[in-house]
């Protein structure tokens, strides 16, 4: 099981162990813009996934109170805080070079080299800008991860497919409301252009909020059930494929 001491001290995260036994999978949880890791730590506990450690990471940069109008701690994943003047709100697509450096260069390296997890056994679940961060890391194309679930988060512009580049093999579930401002048809097409295996879940509700009931959660749980590996029912030392 990974411990906080395995990661840099300046990285704030919570580690939720599996219900029992040692983990063979890791699910990295990335909260939305303006939140902290605490809400997704609760999500990790509630998911209660067998043989899976959940790691809820706090956004890499704080949002100044002048933007939020509150002293409540709020964090984001972008390289900077950009304002969409047309909408009068923070633009979630604010560059992900720091995400690339920290998540790909530090977190994933630690999980693989220090904790001996295979890339195939590492999955991501992100909300909003956290989903964008997860898609960006997976789009780097260096390896196949277990999968990415992005709720209301599109592929960042800087991660879009370029001419001649091969598609990434990491399977993706992209979720959005029926009137989503982020998971639009063009956003879905951009993800499909970058990844070989993409499932689009369009909820009946208009917004991109987190799943609120069993019907909305079911596609996510089915995906996790397919992609999470297990030692159960297989000989010692072997892994179910």
């Amino acid at each position: 099981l990974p411990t906080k001491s395995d990661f840099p001290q300046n990285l704030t995260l919570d580690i939720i162990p599996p219900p029992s036994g040692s983990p063979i999978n890791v699910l990295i949880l990335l909260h939305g813009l303006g939140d902290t890791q605490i809400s997704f730590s609760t999500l990790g506990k509630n998911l209660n996934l067998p043989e899976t450690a959940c790691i809820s990471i706090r956004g890499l940069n704080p949002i100044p109170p002048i933007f939020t109008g509150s002293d409540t701690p709020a964090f984001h994943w972008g390289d900077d805080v950009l304002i969409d003047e047309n909408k009068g709100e923070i633009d979630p697509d604010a560059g992900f070079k720091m995400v690339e450096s920290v998540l790909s260069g530090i977190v994933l390296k630690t999980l693989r080299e220090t904790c001996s997890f295979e890339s195939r056994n590492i999955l991501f679940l992100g909300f909003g800008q956290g989903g964008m961060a997860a898609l960006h890391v997976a789009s780097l194309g260096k390896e196949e991860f277990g999968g990415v679930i992005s709720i209301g988060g599109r592929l960042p512009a800087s991660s879009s497919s370029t001419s001649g580049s091969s598609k990434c093999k990491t399977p993706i579930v992209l979720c959005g409301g029926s009137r989503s401002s982020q998971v639009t048809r063009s956003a879905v097409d951009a993800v499909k252009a970058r990844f070989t295996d993409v499932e689009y879940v369009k909820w009946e509700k208009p917004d991109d909020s987190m799943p609120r009931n069993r019907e909305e959660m079911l596609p996510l749980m089915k995906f996790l059930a397919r992609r999470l590996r297990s030692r159960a029912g297989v000989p010692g030392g072997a892994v179910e494929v």
Side-chain angles (χ1 to χ4, degrees):
L1 180 69
T3 64
K4 290 186 178 181
S5 62
D6 293 323
F7 302 94
Q9 292 184 352
N10 61 351
L11 189 63
T12 300
L13 51 81
D14 294 332
I15 299 174
I16 300 91
S20 61
S22 59
I24 190 173
N25 309 291
V26 173
L27 177 62
I28 298 176
L29 302 171
L30 306 177
H31 65 76
L33 191 151
D35 201 357
T36 72
Q37 85 287 358
I38 297 174
S39 60
F40 269 39
S41 297
T42 301
L43 171 64
K45 294 175 184 176
N46 292 338
L47 286 173
N48 203 36
L49 298 171
E51 299 179 281
T52 303
C54 294
I55 301 180
S56 180
I57 305 175
R58 193 180 72 182
L60 305 180
N61 296 304
I63 300 177
I66 191 174
F67 291 106
T68 63
S70 170
D71 291 330
T72 302
F75 292 82
H76 69 106
W77 298 99
D79 296 331
D80 202 351
V81 177
L82 302 179
I83 300 298
D84 185 333
E85 296 183 357
N86 293 326
K87 298 180 180 179
E89 57 188 34
I90 297 176
D91 187 347
D93 198 351
F96 291 89
K97 286 295 184 182
M98 189 174 293
V99 161
E100 186 175 328
S101 175
V102 174
L103 289 189
S104 185
I106 297 177
V107 173
L108 294 178
K109 183 177 180 181
T110 298
L111 289 175
R112 288 188 297 248
E113 297 183 6
T114 303
C115 305
S116 301
F117 286 97
E118 297 179 10
S119 296
R120 168 59 182 81
N121 293 13
I122 300 173
L123 297 88
F124 300 83
L125 191 160
F127 174 59
Q129 195 186 42
M132 295 178 72
L135 289 171
H136 177 72
V137 172
S139 74
L140 298 177
K142 298 177 181 178
E143 57 242 309
E144 177 185 350
F145 295 105
V148 172
I149 297 173
S150 178
I151 300 171
R154 66 183 189 275
L155 186 71
S158 59
S159 312
S160 297
S161 178
T162 56
S163 178
S165 62
S166 58
K167 289 188 176 183
C168 304
K169 296 181 179 180
T170 299
I172 307 295
V173 173
L174 187 61
C175 307
S178 59
R179 299 178 187 172
S180 173
S181 62
Q182 298 296 323
V183 187
T184 59
R185 171 50 57 188
S186 60
V188 174
D189 290 342
V191 174
K192 289 183 176 181
R194 194 73 189 92
F195 296 90
T196 59
D197 184 356
V198 179
E199 177 185 355
Y200 172 41
V201 177
K202 184 178 181 179
W203 288 315
E204 292 185 4
K205 63 181 179 183
D207 58 40
D208 292 331
S209 56
M210 290 290 290
R212 298 169 181 167
N213 53 47
R214 182 181 182 278
E215 182 182 0
E216 292 173 0
M217 194 66 187
L218 189 58
L220 282 64
M221 296 307 295
K222 284 184 175 180
F223 177 76
L224 291 172
R226 292 197 307 268
R227 297 300 296 175
L228 292 174
R229 288 183 167 176
S230 174
R231 298 187 184 93
V234 295
V239 174
E240 184 178 14
V241 178

